[in-house]
Amino acid sequence: MPERIPEEVVDQVRLNTDIVEVISEYVQLKKQGRNYFGLCPFHGENSPSFSVSPEKQIFHCFGCGAGGNVFTFLMDHNGMPFQEAVAALGEKSDIQFDFSDTGEAAPVETNQEEKTQLEGIGLLEKLFHHLLMNTEDGQEALEYMLNRGFSEAQLAQYKVGWALPGWETAATLLEKKGFNLSLMEDAGILIKRDNGSYFDRFRNRVMFPIEDSKGRTVGFSGRIIHPDKNEPKYLNSPESPLFQKNSLLFNLHRARGAIRKQKYAVLFEGFADVIAASETVSNAIATMGTSLTKQHIQQIKRLTDTVIICYDGDNAGTEAAYKAAKELASNGMTVKVSRLPADTDPDDYIQKFGPEKFKTDIIQNASSLMAYKMWYLRSGKNLQSEDGRLSYINAVLPEISSLRSAVEKELYLKQLSDDTGVSFSSLDEQLKTFMPIKETEVQPEPLPPPKKQTIMKAHQRAERYLLAYMMTGNDTAYTIQDQLGGLAFQSDDYQAIFTYLLTYIEEGKSLEPGAFIECLPDRHLRSKATELTMLELNAEVTKAEIADYINEMKKYTQLTVIRQKEAELRQAEQMNDMKSATALGMEIFQLWKALKGQHR
């Protein structure tokens, strides 16, 4: 890519991008008034000082000073150059360009092979769904799904389908439509025979499309409807650049809004549970048969800091839930765990009791992490025996010691006393011998040194607001420039921004905060300009207000001259130069007289 991207391309991408939506992928934001606030991703803090303005399409941290527009955020947060930031956001907005050496931009298809694979997968998704919902060939599978408690609305919403028993149904269709079958093999849809021909990977299975965080179908999971010891119950697409189970969260793109609104996510063990619960649980996601990974947790943390885990009620589900809960807690998240009856999965429970009861009795009745740990550590132990009680106590006390709240410690010590029959005082004494468990304790990041609070002088406030008003529009900028009449800003940063601003509008560009900030040459000036645009200003600035600000600037300039003359006077007196001292004294008198006359 060349150093300069055509401005019309940058503007098109910026205008088609919502800065709140982009930053929300990295920072959990909450709306307060007209802006959104969250913990700054550029420095450690416990109180949110990071602000995002949807109106002005900029961000600013009042703690560390970081600021800019949506391109700046990606550049600073992800360490990517400007061109990559524009390209990444362009792809999100379906604006894709090829930047030639001449600087001309032309639309291109980025990664044509991947696009072809997605189109092929999408074609099969439509085929499978049609076969299930509208044909005699899919009737048995449709009845099977309906009998399992899935509604036709759910099957339509999640585009569930049916793959015919034939060996080459998908391969034949893809070849007929002109797809490169080798590419579709790489996408995990087809398998190549030794003789070079291709056959379908998925046959005689109910097909569940698997979508990525952008809502693109990147693969499938197929389920057999007749048990066969020679066939796996579920068959997933193989790992590929598109289909990566360690980063895929089923239903994430649908649940994103509900998770933000409800302020928590419900994590299931499988996608079928998500679909079954969708009638009453809209904030549900699931892993793809893998343990929870760092990539999964990072995606969840962008949306919420609270997760309710609802895994199967068998031993394997219990172990997996305990492991996932510890992993989430170690990453600073609040965790609750829903417990199902033994050997029952969410889908079974919903079929038996209905989705409403599932939500109220299972999801909304989730246990705290500590309560779940105590239940988990008590399982399998005989509390009627001395060894069983001691084993349980020694397992639970380290967990209680890691709690930060004294109230919580007392609550769970009382429960432990009730469970074991050992006195509260004895358990409390024993608790003192345990150190907190480091793996579940999340240390807060060190706070930056507090900024000294300084009272802003009148001329500093005047420069600040005058320049902020200039950045609101071309007409206002020209009006203030005319009234300044060559008067300079005392702040070097503000004078530099002022100069860049005049150049910007002289080039015929319309002043928009996000666009202007983008043209500033370094991070420091962008931060200063962003800070100015975040000021609360009147809808329109009056001539009187402008005049007041300019008078304060002139007054400070005159005071600076007087102080310089007073310093020269002191020096003349020290050197016994009475002639110069007398002249300077008269000059200072006249300057003070003029100053008082102007600012009565």
Side-chain angles (χ1 to χ4, degrees):
M1 288 184 184
E3 292 184 0
R4 184 176 180 277
I5 297 175
E7 291 176 9
E8 61 271 19
V9 175
V10 176
D11 288 342
Q12 187 181 2
V13 172
R14 180 172 50 79
L15 293 172
N16 280 276
T17 301
D18 179 9
I19 192 171
V20 175
E21 182 178 331
V22 173
I23 293 181
S24 291
E25 295 182 8
Y26 304 87
V27 180
Q28 186 183 344
L29 298 174
K30 294 182 179 179
K31 190 171 186 181
Q32 295 180 16
R34 296 164 66 180
N35 296 334
Y36 289 78
F37 287 84
L39 297 177
C40 179
F42 301 109
H43 80 283
E45 62 178 8
N46 286 341
S47 299
S49 63
F50 181 81
S51 176
V52 184
S53 169
E55 178 184 344
K56 300 172 182 176
Q57 290 293 297
I58 57 172
F59 73 92
H60 178 71
C61 177
F62 296 95
C64 69
N69 62 12
V70 68
F71 300 128
T72 310
F73 179 84
L74 287 185
M75 291 163 64
D76 293 346
H77 188 277
N78 295 353
M80 58 173 57
F82 178 71
Q83 293 92 334
E84 285 188 23
V86 175
L89 292 174
E91 183 179 354
K92 281 178 174 286
S93 305
D94 292 328
I95 303 170
Q96 300 160 7
F97 293 89
D98 180 24
F99 302 103
S100 64
D101 292 335
T102 63
E104 296 298 322
V108 298
E109 303 295 351
T110 31
N111 196 342
Q112 183 60 44
E113 290 187 353
E114 180 180 287
K115 184 174 184 295
T116 299
Q117 290 174 331
L118 289 170
E119 288 176 352
I121 293 171
L123 177 65
L124 294 184
E125 176 186 66
K126 292 176 182 176
L127 170 67
F128 295 148
H129 186 60
H130 171 75
L131 289 171
L132 177 70
M133 305 300 290
N134 303 303
T135 69
E136 290 185 11
D137 290 324
Q139 189 61 35
E140 183 185 7
L142 177 60
E143 290 177 0
Y144 169 83
M145 295 299 291
L146 295 175
N147 289 335
R148 286 202 58 191
F150 296 98
S151 68
E152 290 196 17
Q154 289 172 324
L155 299 179
Q157 180 184 4
Y158 290 90
K159 304 170 190 174
V160 181
W162 171 248
L164 296 175
W167 285 82
E168 297 174 357
T169 304
T172 301
L173 175 65
L174 290 168
E175 186 173 30
K176 182 180 179 181
K177 293 291 186 179
F179 285 89
N180 183 326
L181 298 190
S182 177
L183 277 180
M184 302 317 297
E185 178 194 11
D186 294 339
I189 300 302
L190 304 178
I191 299 174
K192 190 175 184 178
R193 295 188 179 98
D194 292 339
N195 65 4
S197 63
Y198 294 87
F199 65 96
D200 300 353
R201 177 179 296 276
F202 299 100
R203 304 178 308 279
N204 210 31
R205 289 177 178 271
V206 173
M207 300 296 289
F208 296 89
I210 307 301
E211 296 155 318
D212 64 9
S213 60
K214 298 177 183 178
R216 306 178 305 173
T217 300
V218 294
F220 296 96
S221 184
R223 190 193 195 285
I224 58 174
I225 61 175
H226 298 296
D228 186 338
K229 63 179 181 182
N230 297 318
E231 290 284 345
K233 182 178 178 181
Y234 282 98
L235 178 65
N236 291 331
S237 292
E239 290 286 306
S240 71
L242 283 175
F243 191 89
Q244 298 183 28
K245 289 190 289 186
N246 64 352
S247 61
L248 283 172
L249 284 169
F250 183 80
N251 202 48
L252 180 65
H253 71 288
R254 290 188 189 90
R256 185 179 281 115
I259 291 172
R260 287 200 183 107
K261 183 177 181 179
Q262 298 179 45
K263 298 181 174 58
Y264 71 94
V266 176
L267 180 64
F268 287 114
E269 202 169 1
F271 57 82
D273 298 327
V274 172
I275 300 173
S278 62
E279 186 178 327
T280 55
V281 184
S282 57
N283 54 338
I285 54 178
T287 55
M288 289 300 300
T290 65
S291 298
L292 204 61
T293 65
K294 292 290 184 183
Q295 294 95 313
H296 292 143
I297 295 173
Q298 184 180 24
Q299 291 180 78
I300 298 171
K301 285 187 74 172
R302 291 171 186 167
L303 303 175
T304 183
D305 56 7
T306 303
V307 175
I308 294 178
I309 298 172
C310 185
Y311 283 8
D312 294 354
D314 57 11
N315 289 335
T318 299
E319 293 293 334
Y322 185 72
K323 181 180 178 182
K326 292 180 67 176
E327 194 67 37
L328 288 164
S330 70
N331 280 272
M333 303 191 75
T334 300
V335 184
K336 294 183 177 182
V337 185
S338 294
R339 285 167 45 199
L340 286 160
D343 298 321
T344 301
D345 62 31
D347 185 12
D348 296 333
Y349 191 96
I350 292 169
Q351 283 188 64
K352 186 174 182 181
F353 299 105
E356 286 291 345
K357 189 172 178 62
F358 173 75
K359 182 178 182 180
T360 56
D361 292 6
I362 302 299
I363 300 301
Q364 295 179 348
N365 199 31
S367 303
S368 68
L369 178 57
M370 188 61 225
Y372 182 75
K373 284 181 177 180
M374 291 185 70
W375 173 83
Y376 173 85
L377 295 171
R378 186 168 63 245
S379 301
K381 292 182 173 63
N382 180 9
L383 298 190
Q384 301 302 314
S385 69
E386 184 178 320
D387 287 344
R389 290 195 297 275
L390 287 174
S391 176
Y392 177 46
I393 290 169
N394 289 329
V396 171
L397 283 179
E399 299 288 350
I400 295 177
S401 71
S402 70
L403 298 173
R404 298 187 179 186
S405 165
V407 174
E408 283 187 292
K409 287 181 180 180
E410 181 176 345
L411 175 68
Y412 292 114
L413 273 181
K414 285 181 177 178
Q415 184 176 326
L416 183 60
S417 176
D418 292 340
D419 289 345
T420 61
V422 177
S423 69
F424 178 89
S425 58
S426 297
L427 293 173
D428 189 32
E429 188 66 28
Q430 186 72 8
L431 182 68
K432 297 173 184 177
T433 65
F434 288 93
M435 296 296 292
I437 300 173
K438 293 182 180 180
E439 65 176 8
T440 59
E441 184 175 319
V442 180
Q443 297 293 338
E445 296 182 20
L447 289 171
K451 289 188 174 183
K452 293 182 179 179
Q453 296 296 320
T454 57
I455 299 175
M456 190 172 293
K457 295 179 180 178
H459 80 280
Q460 293 173 326
R461 185 177 186 278
E463 290 189 349
R464 179 182 174 89
Y465 276 86
L466 207 57
L467 191 53
Y469 275 118
M470 288 189 74
M471 293 171 63
T472 61
N474 293 44
D475 292 342
T476 304
Y478 280 126
T479 299
I480 293 174
Q481 180 195 12
D482 290 342
Q483 295 193 33
L484 280 170
L487 184 66
F489 288 81
Q490 295 297 317
S491 164
D492 291 339
D493 291 334
Y494 290 172
Q495 184 63 35
I497 293 171
F498 174 75
T499 304
Y500 281 113
L501 186 147
L502 292 181
T503 302
Y504 185 86
I505 59 177
E506 287 296 335
E507 291 175 352
K509 299 174 182 175
S510 178
L511 265 175
E512 294 179 32
F516 169 63
I517 288 169
E518 188 180 297
C519 80
L520 295 174
D522 62 65
R523 183 182 299 178
H524 177 71
L525 287 181
R526 289 196 296 268
S527 174
K528 288 291 183 182
T530 307
E531 183 179 359
L532 292 174
T533 61
M534 297 298 284
L535 292 174
E536 291 292 334
L537 303 175
N538 296 325
E540 292 184 7
V541 59
T542 64
K543 291 182 179 180
E545 191 176 355
I546 293 174
D548 287 343
Y549 290 142
I550 292 176
N551 282 337
E552 288 296 341
M553 291 175 64
K554 287 180 177 178
K555 181 179 178 180
Y556 182 79
T557 301
Q558 292 170 309
L559 284 171
T560 301
V561 173
I562 290 173
R563 291 190 186 103
Q564 289 175 344
K565 295 296 182 181
E566 288 175 339
E568 291 175 15
L569 173 62
R570 287 192 296 271
Q571 187 177 9
E573 289 174 342
Q574 289 173 0
M575 297 180 66
N576 206 27
D577 184 354
M578 301 310 297
K579 182 179 179 179
S580 297
T582 301
L584 285 167
M586 288 298 298
E587 186 177 358
I588 291 170
F589 174 77
Q590 293 298 328
L591 287 171
W592 274 113
K593 185 178 179 181
L595 180 63
K596 291 177 181 177
Q598 291 174 9
H599 302 288
R600 284 179 179 173

